[in-house]
Amino acid sequence: MDRPKPPTGREVDACLELLDRQLVDSGGDQAGKVDDLELTELEDGSFVVTAILSGPGALGPRLGGRLGMAVAALFERLHPDTDADPARIPFGSVKDLGSHITLSRSRDHLDVNRMEHWVRDRVIARIPGAGDAPE
Amino acid sequence: MRKYLEVTLGVLTAIGGFVDIGDLVANAEVGARFRWNLAWVVVVGVVGIVLFAEMSGRVATLTERGTFDLVRERLGPRFALGNLLASFFVTFLTLVAEVAGIALALELATSVNHLLLLPTCGVLVWIVIWKVKFDSMERVFGLLGLALVVFAVAAWRLGPDWSAVLHQATHPGVPDGEGTPTYWYYAIALFGAAMTPYEVFFFSSGAVEEGWDRTDLMVNRANVLVGFPLGGALSLAIMTCAAVVFAPRGITVDHLSQVALPVAATLGRLGLVVVLIGFFAATFGAALETGLSSGYTVAQYFGWPWGKRYRPVDAARFHAVILVAILLAVAVGLTTVDPIKVTEYSIVFSAVALPLTYFPILVVANDPQYMGDRVNSRLTNALASVYLVVIVVAATAAIPLMIATKAGM
């Protein structure tokens, strides 16, 4: 993998200003949490954030302990791929950092919404009136 | 007219905190046993919930972040998960009690056994959450709940010696025949009910559902300043009715039908009809509040799409959580568990949830990155810090007192 160039953007406290923040997609809808971050080492030995990791595959290891392992194991078991990695959102898709993290893509194109789609298609969409806006 | 309707979110939220099924009975019980010696706790509770609900509403109005979003963001995944489990359990236990409470209210009106009515009540709550728009829901149940004002009318008609009432309320003591631990157990129960965490979950999420923005900060303030004092006043009115009618006769209160008696005795059949409408609206409103809050907390912890402003297909996991919670609540209710006992025990779990919920709100309400120039004033911070201490003390004392007094026996 090519080592990225040293960053030109602003510096943020990743723990305070990125981790556990709400992700909001290009349409203004909620699209998961920043459950973990992917860091890549630069030539000079420092690190930059290259991706946001989201969903149970990333949350489990951060929870730690037996519960965290159970969450991660459940994620791998339920994931269609045999060797499942946590859902990854390249940092290039991040449009803005604030009280939430705004993405430049729609949540329909994100890997993190697999579970949402499953619940929607298998459960919620089958109940009458699921596609109607409340009146 | 529209202007006046804008405070119904605060009114509905307060109904769920101050006059839901457990509190309707608890307020009357406290009045019957302690007369006005615990009235001060309601006032302390009102000020506390006004403070923190205003903060949570202000954060939600400026940033669209619901309270549990902040809890996760400031406490990290582990502590927030602990809070989520405790808060969800409190909210769920209350939901069980409220669904059973709607059935009890309908039983009083129809004489049909409440267990037969319970599944229908569960379905009705779910249909309202599934189909009805947030602001229509909030208006209908917020306004109908105002029927409980009939307790204030009854209290006025009963005509206690108001100067004596005021004297006792401002010079409280432990009445003869009651132990000091029991007195404090009920004090914490009343305080915990006033500050119960699902009120801020519901209120802050409601602010997002309503689409409040920067220009609505006054609306936020009006909602908390009208809603919670009104809830506290209703609570005191019920207490007063019981103190006048039951206390001199040594009658203790443990059933919903007894709560209605003082009104029926003073205002007759019409008064009773209005009380029953109020019971129905208050329990139904509280069921909506706790049902929705169970979805809000889980969805905000995990970052899922949430809210009634979306079609159910666009917030699938949120609606799935609510559906499962209501189904389970009906199942637990059908085990003939006493809904009033259920809400009493839920206080134990709020002991864990309260500090872990109110602390992150206070921190974020002071963060300029979220709030810009709308951070807390010094006075708000001073008061809120005092309340955090009180909350921690009450939370620590709750469980030992509950064991020592056998839940206020």
Side-chain angles (χ1 to χ4, degrees), chain B residues 57-94:
Chain B
R58 180 153 37 96
V59 176
T61 303
L62 292 174
T63 65
E64 290 187 29
R65 307 270 67 84
T67 292
F68 224 87
D69 197 335
L70 313 178
V71 169
R72 162 83 191 268
E73 200 260 294
R74 286 293 141 146
L75 296 182
R78 268 182 87 86
F79 271 100
L81 187 66
N83 186 1
L84 179 67
L85 294 175
S87 296
F88 189 85
F89 204 61
V90 177
T91 311
F92 174 73
L93 285 180
T94 315

mmCIF file of all heavy atoms in Angstrom, chain B residues 57-94:
data_model
loop_
_atom_site.group_PDB
_atom_site.id
_atom_site.type_symbol
_atom_site.label_atom_id
_atom_site.label_comp_id
_atom_site.label_asym_id
_atom_site.label_seq_id
_atom_site.Cartn_x
_atom_site.Cartn_y
_atom_site.Cartn_z
ATOM 1 N N GLY B 57 -32.743 19.999 25.700
ATOM 2 C CA GLY B 57 -33.507 20.561 24.595
ATOM 3 C C GLY B 57 -32.702 21.581 23.813
ATOM 4 O O GLY B 57 -32.767 21.638 22.591
ATOM 5 N N ARG B 58 -31.901 22.371 24.533
ATOM 6 C CA ARG B 58 -31.074 23.391 23.868
ATOM 7 C C ARG B 58 -30.020 22.722 22.988
ATOM 8 O O ARG B 58 -29.796 23.126 21.843
ATOM 9 C CB ARG B 58 -30.433 24.296 24.925
ATOM 10 C CG ARG B 58 -29.563 25.400 24.399
ATOM 11 C CD ARG B 58 -29.504 26.596 25.375
ATOM 12 N NE ARG B 58 -29.496 26.186 26.773
ATOM 13 C CZ ARG B 58 -28.382 26.041 27.507
ATOM 14 N NH1 ARG B 58 -27.210 26.298 26.976
ATOM 15 N NH2 ARG B 58 -28.454 25.661 28.764
ATOM 16 N N VAL B 59 -29.374 21.667 23.502
ATOM 17 C CA VAL B 59 -28.390 20.946 22.694
ATOM 18 C C VAL B 59 -29.060 20.352 21.457
ATOM 19 O O VAL B 59 -28.561 20.483 20.330
ATOM 20 C CB VAL B 59 -27.714 19.824 23.520
ATOM 21 C CG1 VAL B 59 -26.770 19.019 22.631
ATOM 22 C CG2 VAL B 59 -26.962 20.383 24.710
ATOM 23 N N ALA B 60 -30.226 19.721 21.648
ATOM 24 C CA ALA B 60 -30.924 19.083 20.526
ATOM 25 C C ALA B 60 -31.364 20.120 19.505
ATOM 26 O O ALA B 60 -31.288 19.888 18.294
ATOM 27 C CB ALA B 60 -32.132 18.300 21.037
ATOM 28 N N THR B 61 -31.816 21.285 19.986
ATOM 29 C CA THR B 61 -32.287 22.335 19.097
ATOM 30 C C THR B 61 -31.142 22.872 18.224
ATOM 31 O O THR B 61 -31.306 23.104 17.032
ATOM 32 C CB THR B 61 -32.886 23.501 19.923
ATOM 33 O OG1 THR B 61 -33.925 22.960 20.742
ATOM 34 C CG2 THR B 61 -33.460 24.569 19.037
ATOM 35 N N LEU B 62 -29.961 23.011 18.822
ATOM 36 C CA LEU B 62 -28.838 23.603 18.086
ATOM 37 C C LEU B 62 -28.088 22.586 17.226
ATOM 38 O O LEU B 62 -27.489 22.951 16.226
ATOM 39 C CB LEU B 62 -27.855 24.253 19.065
ATOM 40 C CG LEU B 62 -28.366 25.493 19.807
ATOM 41 C CD1 LEU B 62 -27.358 25.936 20.844
ATOM 42 C CD2 LEU B 62 -28.647 26.617 18.829
ATOM 43 N N THR B 63 -28.096 21.300 17.621
ATOM 44 C CA THR B 63 -27.218 20.346 16.940
ATOM 45 C C THR B 63 -27.932 19.117 16.390
ATOM 46 O O THR B 63 -27.305 18.288 15.743
ATOM 47 C CB THR B 63 -26.140 19.824 17.913
ATOM 48 O OG1 THR B 63 -26.801 19.069 18.935
ATOM 49 C CG2 THR B 63 -25.356 20.949 18.541
ATOM 50 N N GLU B 64 -29.235 18.957 16.681
ATOM 51 C CA GLU B 64 -29.979 17.755 16.301
ATOM 52 C C GLU B 64 -29.451 16.485 16.969
ATOM 53 O O GLU B 64 -29.665 15.380 16.470
ATOM 54 C CB GLU B 64 -29.991 17.546 14.792
ATOM 55 C CG GLU B 64 -30.835 18.562 14.064
ATOM 56 C CD GLU B 64 -30.978 18.234 12.590
ATOM 57 O OE1 GLU B 64 -30.926 17.049 12.229
ATOM 58 O OE2 GLU B 64 -31.114 19.183 11.806
ATOM 59 N N ARG B 65 -28.694 16.632 18.053
ATOM 60 C CA ARG B 65 -28.194 15.443 18.744
ATOM 61 C C ARG B 65 -29.098 15.123 19.929
ATOM 62 O O ARG B 65 -29.283 15.943 20.812
ATOM 63 C CB ARG B 65 -26.761 15.668 19.265
ATOM 64 C CG ARG B 65 -25.759 16.142 18.228
ATOM 65 C CD ARG B 65 -25.064 14.988 17.535
ATOM 66 N NE ARG B 65 -25.944 14.196 16.693
ATOM 67 C CZ ARG B 65 -26.256 14.504 15.432
ATOM 68 N NH1 ARG B 65 -25.798 15.577 14.876
ATOM 69 N NH2 ARG B 65 -27.054 13.731 14.739
ATOM 70 N N GLY B 66 -29.681 13.912 19.928
ATOM 71 C CA GLY B 66 -30.498 13.475 21.051
ATOM 72 C C GLY B 66 -29.615 13.174 22.256
ATOM 73 O O GLY B 66 -28.394 13.044 22.123
ATOM 74 N N THR B 67 -30.233 13.058 23.437
ATOM 75 C CA THR B 67 -29.434 12.931 24.654
ATOM 76 C C THR B 67 -28.555 11.684 24.672
ATOM 77 O O THR B 67 -27.405 11.738 25.106
ATOM 78 C CB THR B 67 -30.360 12.959 25.884
ATOM 79 O OG1 THR B 67 -30.910 14.266 25.979
ATOM 80 C CG2 THR B 67 -29.609 12.644 27.163
ATOM 81 N N PHE B 68 -29.060 10.547 24.175
ATOM 82 C CA PHE B 68 -28.225 9.350 24.286
ATOM 83 C C PHE B 68 -27.034 9.383 23.325
ATOM 84 O O PHE B 68 -26.006 8.742 23.559
ATOM 85 C CB PHE B 68 -29.024 8.050 24.121
ATOM 86 C CG PHE B 68 -28.609 7.067 25.158
ATOM 87 C CD1 PHE B 68 -29.209 7.062 26.400
ATOM 88 C CD2 PHE B 68 -27.536 6.199 24.941
ATOM 89 C CE1 PHE B 68 -28.778 6.207 27.402
ATOM 90 C CE2 PHE B 68 -27.102 5.355 25.934
ATOM 91 C CZ PHE B 68 -27.719 5.359 27.167
ATOM 92 N N ASP B 69 -27.174 10.139 22.260
ATOM 93 C CA ASP B 69 -26.060 10.414 21.363
ATOM 94 C C ASP B 69 -24.913 11.056 22.161
ATOM 95 O O ASP B 69 -23.748 10.649 22.060
ATOM 96 C CB ASP B 69 -26.591 11.380 20.294
ATOM 97 C CG ASP B 69 -25.723 11.453 19.072
ATOM 98 O OD1 ASP B 69 -24.527 11.162 19.188
ATOM 99 O OD2 ASP B 69 -26.238 11.821 18.007
ATOM 100 N N LEU B 70 -25.257 12.036 23.000
ATOM 101 C CA LEU B 70 -24.248 12.728 23.822
ATOM 102 C C LEU B 70 -23.664 11.795 24.872
ATOM 103 O O LEU B 70 -22.467 11.844 25.169
ATOM 104 C CB LEU B 70 -24.862 13.924 24.548
ATOM 105 C CG LEU B 70 -25.739 14.869 23.747
ATOM 106 C CD1 LEU B 70 -26.274 15.947 24.664
ATOM 107 C CD2 LEU B 70 -24.931 15.479 22.628
ATOM 108 N N VAL B 71 -24.529 10.950 25.448
ATOM 109 C CA VAL B 71 -24.068 10.025 26.479
ATOM 110 C C VAL B 71 -22.965 9.139 25.910
ATOM 111 O O VAL B 71 -21.890 8.989 26.485
ATOM 112 C CB VAL B 71 -25.244 9.159 26.992
ATOM 113 C CG1 VAL B 71 -24.744 8.020 27.856
ATOM 114 C CG2 VAL B 71 -26.232 10.007 27.764
ATOM 115 N N ARG B 72 -23.219 8.586 24.718
ATOM 116 C CA ARG B 72 -22.242 7.714 24.079
ATOM 117 C C ARG B 72 -20.976 8.500 23.731
ATOM 118 O O ARG B 72 -19.854 8.049 23.939
ATOM 119 C CB ARG B 72 -22.863 7.119 22.812
ATOM 120 C CG ARG B 72 -21.888 6.533 21.812
ATOM 121 C CD ARG B 72 -21.466 5.123 22.148
ATOM 122 N NE ARG B 72 -20.349 4.705 21.321
ATOM 123 C CZ ARG B 72 -20.448 4.066 20.174
ATOM 124 N NH1 ARG B 72 -21.643 3.743 19.713
ATOM 125 N NH2 ARG B 72 -19.380 3.737 19.479
ATOM 126 N N GLU B 73 -21.185 9.722 23.233
ATOM 127 C CA GLU B 73 -20.053 10.498 22.733
ATOM 128 C C GLU B 73 -19.137 10.931 23.872
ATOM 129 O O GLU B 73 -17.929 10.988 23.713
ATOM 130 C CB GLU B 73 -20.618 11.703 21.977
ATOM 131 C CG GLU B 73 -19.673 12.337 21.014
ATOM 132 C CD GLU B 73 -19.057 13.566 21.608
ATOM 133 O OE1 GLU B 73 -19.784 14.537 21.844
ATOM 134 O OE2 GLU B 73 -17.841 13.538 21.847
ATOM 135 N N ARG B 74 -19.719 11.219 25.051
ATOM 136 C CA ARG B 74 -18.892 11.717 26.153
ATOM 137 C C ARG B 74 -18.423 10.618 27.098
ATOM 138 O O ARG B 74 -17.407 10.773 27.767
ATOM 139 C CB ARG B 74 -19.668 12.768 26.964
ATOM 140 C CG ARG B 74 -19.788 14.078 26.234
ATOM 141 C CD ARG B 74 -18.432 14.741 26.098
ATOM 142 N NE ARG B 74 -18.309 15.375 24.807
ATOM 143 C CZ ARG B 74 -17.633 16.488 24.585
ATOM 144 N NH1 ARG B 74 -17.040 17.115 25.551
ATOM 145 N NH2 ARG B 74 -17.540 16.952 23.362
ATOM 146 N N LEU B 75 -19.160 9.527 27.217
ATOM 147 C CA LEU B 75 -18.761 8.487 28.177
ATOM 148 C C LEU B 75 -17.989 7.361 27.515
ATOM 149 O O LEU B 75 -17.423 6.514 28.194
ATOM 150 C CB LEU B 75 -19.990 7.908 28.885
ATOM 151 C CG LEU B 75 -20.809 8.842 29.778
ATOM 152 C CD1 LEU B 75 -21.941 8.083 30.427
ATOM 153 C CD2 LEU B 75 -19.945 9.479 30.844
ATOM 154 N N GLY B 76 -17.987 7.307 26.174
ATOM 155 C CA GLY B 76 -17.336 6.202 25.491
ATOM 156 C C GLY B 76 -18.237 4.983 25.483
ATOM 157 O O GLY B 76 -19.241 4.937 26.191
ATOM 158 N N PRO B 77 -17.871 3.977 24.652
ATOM 159 C CA PRO B 77 -18.801 2.873 24.435
ATOM 160 C C PRO B 77 -19.108 2.033 25.678
ATOM 161 O O PRO B 77 -20.233 1.585 25.844
ATOM 162 C CB PRO B 77 -18.112 2.021 23.364
ATOM 163 C CG PRO B 77 -16.710 2.472 23.314
ATOM 164 C CD PRO B 77 -16.669 3.872 23.829
ATOM 165 N N ARG B 78 -18.134 1.850 26.580
ATOM 166 C CA ARG B 78 -18.366 0.931 27.705
ATOM 167 C C ARG B 78 -19.308 1.503 28.755
ATOM 168 O O ARG B 78 -20.311 0.889 29.106
ATOM 169 C CB ARG B 78 -17.034 0.588 28.378
ATOM 170 C CG ARG B 78 -16.377 -0.637 27.829
ATOM 171 C CD ARG B 78 -15.101 -0.932 28.576
ATOM 172 N NE ARG B 78 -15.350 -1.736 29.755
ATOM 173 C CZ ARG B 78 -15.423 -3.058 29.746
ATOM 174 N NH1 ARG B 78 -15.305 -3.714 28.626
ATOM 175 N NH2 ARG B 78 -15.635 -3.722 30.852
ATOM 176 N N PHE B 79 -18.991 2.696 29.261
ATOM 177 C CA PHE B 79 -19.845 3.308 30.280
ATOM 178 C C PHE B 79 -21.227 3.607 29.701
ATOM 179 O O PHE B 79 -22.243 3.441 30.368
ATOM 180 C CB PHE B 79 -19.220 4.599 30.811
ATOM 181 C CG PHE B 79 -18.313 4.359 31.968
ATOM 182 C CD1 PHE B 79 -16.945 4.313 31.795
ATOM 183 C CD2 PHE B 79 -18.848 4.144 33.236
ATOM 184 C CE1 PHE B 79 -16.100 4.072 32.870
ATOM 185 C CE2 PHE B 79 -18.014 3.901 34.315
ATOM 186 C CZ PHE B 79 -16.636 3.871 34.131
ATOM 187 N N ALA B 80 -21.231 4.058 28.442
ATOM 188 C CA ALA B 80 -22.512 4.374 27.821
ATOM 189 C C ALA B 80 -23.355 3.114 27.682
ATOM 190 O O ALA B 80 -24.577 3.160 27.821
ATOM 191 C CB ALA B 80 -22.291 5.024 26.462
ATOM 192 N N LEU B 81 -22.706 1.979 27.441
ATOM 193 C CA LEU B 81 -23.461 0.725 27.339
ATOM 194 C C LEU B 81 -24.068 0.360 28.689
ATOM 195 O O LEU B 81 -25.217 -0.081 28.763
ATOM 196 C CB LEU B 81 -22.565 -0.409 26.834
ATOM 197 C CG LEU B 81 -23.295 -1.719 26.539
ATOM 198 C CD1 LEU B 81 -24.257 -1.562 25.373
ATOM 199 C CD2 LEU B 81 -22.311 -2.845 26.249
ATOM 200 N N GLY B 82 -23.304 0.583 29.759
ATOM 201 C CA GLY B 82 -23.841 0.359 31.103
ATOM 202 C C GLY B 82 -25.070 1.219 31.343
ATOM 203 O O GLY B 82 -26.101 0.751 31.824
ATOM 204 N N ASN B 83 -24.951 2.496 30.973
ATOM 205 C CA ASN B 83 -26.084 3.408 31.110
ATOM 206 C C ASN B 83 -27.239 2.960 30.223
ATOM 207 O O ASN B 83 -28.402 2.981 30.634
ATOM 208 C CB ASN B 83 -25.652 4.831 30.739
ATOM 209 C CG ASN B 83 -26.741 5.862 31.002
ATOM 210 O OD1 ASN B 83 -27.813 5.528 31.470
ATOM 211 N ND2 ASN B 83 -26.447 7.101 30.679
ATOM 212 N N LEU B 84 -26.909 2.515 28.991
ATOM 213 C CA LEU B 84 -27.970 2.083 28.066
ATOM 214 C C LEU B 84 -28.763 0.927 28.675
ATOM 215 O O LEU B 84 -29.993 0.931 28.655
ATOM 216 C CB LEU B 84 -27.366 1.661 26.724
ATOM 217 C CG LEU B 84 -28.372 1.166 25.688
ATOM 218 C CD1 LEU B 84 -29.282 2.293 25.220
ATOM 219 C CD2 LEU B 84 -27.678 0.539 24.474
ATOM 220 N N LEU B 85 -28.051 -0.054 29.229
ATOM 221 C CA LEU B 85 -28.742 -1.211 29.809
ATOM 222 C C LEU B 85 -29.632 -0.771 30.969
ATOM 223 O O LEU B 85 -30.799 -1.169 31.051
ATOM 224 C CB LEU B 85 -27.728 -2.265 30.275
ATOM 225 C CG LEU B 85 -26.918 -2.918 29.146
ATOM 226 C CD1 LEU B 85 -25.862 -3.849 29.709
ATOM 227 C CD2 LEU B 85 -27.837 -3.663 28.178
ATOM 228 N N ALA B 86 -29.084 0.085 31.871
ATOM 229 C CA ALA B 86 -29.875 0.541 33.017
ATOM 230 C C ALA B 86 -31.059 1.394 32.558
ATOM 231 O O ALA B 86 -32.192 1.173 32.979
ATOM 232 C CB ALA B 86 -28.998 1.327 33.985
ATOM 233 N N SER B 87 -30.794 2.359 31.661
ATOM 234 C CA SER B 87 -31.863 3.248 31.197
ATOM 235 C C SER B 87 -32.933 2.483 30.447
ATOM 236 O O SER B 87 -34.126 2.722 30.623
ATOM 237 C CB SER B 87 -31.307 4.308 30.241
ATOM 238 O OG SER B 87 -30.424 5.126 30.907
ATOM 239 N N PHE B 88 -32.486 1.552 29.607
ATOM 240 C CA PHE B 88 -33.459 0.795 28.831
ATOM 241 C C PHE B 88 -34.341 -0.018 29.763
ATOM 242 O O PHE B 88 -35.552 -0.111 29.570
ATOM 243 C CB PHE B 88 -32.764 -0.131 27.835
ATOM 244 C CG PHE B 88 -33.714 -0.766 26.860
ATOM 245 C CD1 PHE B 88 -34.079 -0.102 25.705
ATOM 246 C CD2 PHE B 88 -34.259 -2.014 27.116
ATOM 247 C CE1 PHE B 88 -34.983 -0.669 24.825
ATOM 248 C CE2 PHE B 88 -35.165 -2.583 26.241
ATOM 249 C CZ PHE B 88 -35.522 -1.907 25.083
ATOM 250 N N PHE B 89 -33.724 -0.572 30.811
ATOM 251 C CA PHE B 89 -34.478 -1.391 31.750
ATOM 252 C C PHE B 89 -35.507 -0.546 32.514
ATOM 253 O O PHE B 89 -36.656 -0.955 32.661
ATOM 254 C CB PHE B 89 -33.524 -2.104 32.704
ATOM 255 C CG PHE B 89 -34.120 -3.352 33.288
ATOM 256 C CD1 PHE B 89 -34.511 -4.395 32.461
ATOM 257 C CD2 PHE B 89 -34.297 -3.478 34.642
ATOM 258 C CE1 PHE B 89 -35.095 -5.538 32.987
ATOM 259 C CE2 PHE B 89 -34.873 -4.625 35.184
ATOM 260 C CZ PHE B 89 -35.271 -5.650 34.351
ATOM 261 N N VAL B 90 -35.097 0.641 32.974
ATOM 262 C CA VAL B 90 -36.037 1.547 33.650
ATOM 263 C C VAL B 90 -37.190 1.877 32.715
ATOM 264 O O VAL B 90 -38.371 1.806 33.079
ATOM 265 C CB VAL B 90 -35.363 2.888 34.026
ATOM 266 C CG1 VAL B 90 -36.365 3.844 34.658
ATOM 267 C CG2 VAL B 90 -34.195 2.669 34.938
ATOM 268 N N THR B 91 -36.829 2.269 31.483
ATOM 269 C CA THR B 91 -37.836 2.689 30.525
ATOM 270 C C THR B 91 -38.774 1.530 30.214
ATOM 271 O O THR B 91 -39.992 1.688 30.154
ATOM 272 C CB THR B 91 -37.148 3.193 29.242
ATOM 273 O OG1 THR B 91 -36.126 4.111 29.618
ATOM 274 C CG2 THR B 91 -38.114 3.892 28.334
ATOM 275 N N PHE B 92 -38.194 0.335 30.057
ATOM 276 C CA PHE B 92 -39.007 -0.832 29.739
ATOM 277 C C PHE B 92 -39.952 -1.184 30.896
ATOM 278 O O PHE B 92 -41.139 -1.429 30.684
ATOM 279 C CB PHE B 92 -38.128 -2.030 29.391
ATOM 280 C CG PHE B 92 -38.917 -3.287 29.194
ATOM 281 C CD1 PHE B 92 -39.685 -3.464 28.060
ATOM 282 C CD2 PHE B 92 -38.909 -4.276 30.161
ATOM 283 C CE1 PHE B 92 -40.449 -4.610 27.897
ATOM 284 C CE2 PHE B 92 -39.664 -5.426 30.006
ATOM 285 C CZ PHE B 92 -40.436 -5.597 28.866
ATOM 286 N N LEU B 93 -39.424 -1.181 32.126
ATOM 287 C CA LEU B 93 -40.283 -1.478 33.282
ATOM 288 C C LEU B 93 -41.433 -0.483 33.366
ATOM 289 O O LEU B 93 -42.570 -0.845 33.670
ATOM 290 C CB LEU B 93 -39.479 -1.429 34.589
ATOM 291 C CG LEU B 93 -38.550 -2.606 34.885
ATOM 292 C CD1 LEU B 93 -37.837 -2.382 36.212
ATOM 293 C CD2 LEU B 93 -39.321 -3.917 34.913
ATOM 294 N N THR B 94 -41.124 0.792 33.074
ATOM 295 C CA THR B 94 -42.177 1.800 33.112
ATOM 296 C C THR B 94 -43.190 1.547 31.993
ATOM 297 O O THR B 94 -44.393 1.687 32.201
ATOM 298 C CB THR B 94 -41.582 3.213 33.003
ATOM 299 O OG1 THR B 94 -40.449 3.290 33.874
ATOM 300 C CG2 THR B 94 -42.573 4.273 33.413
#
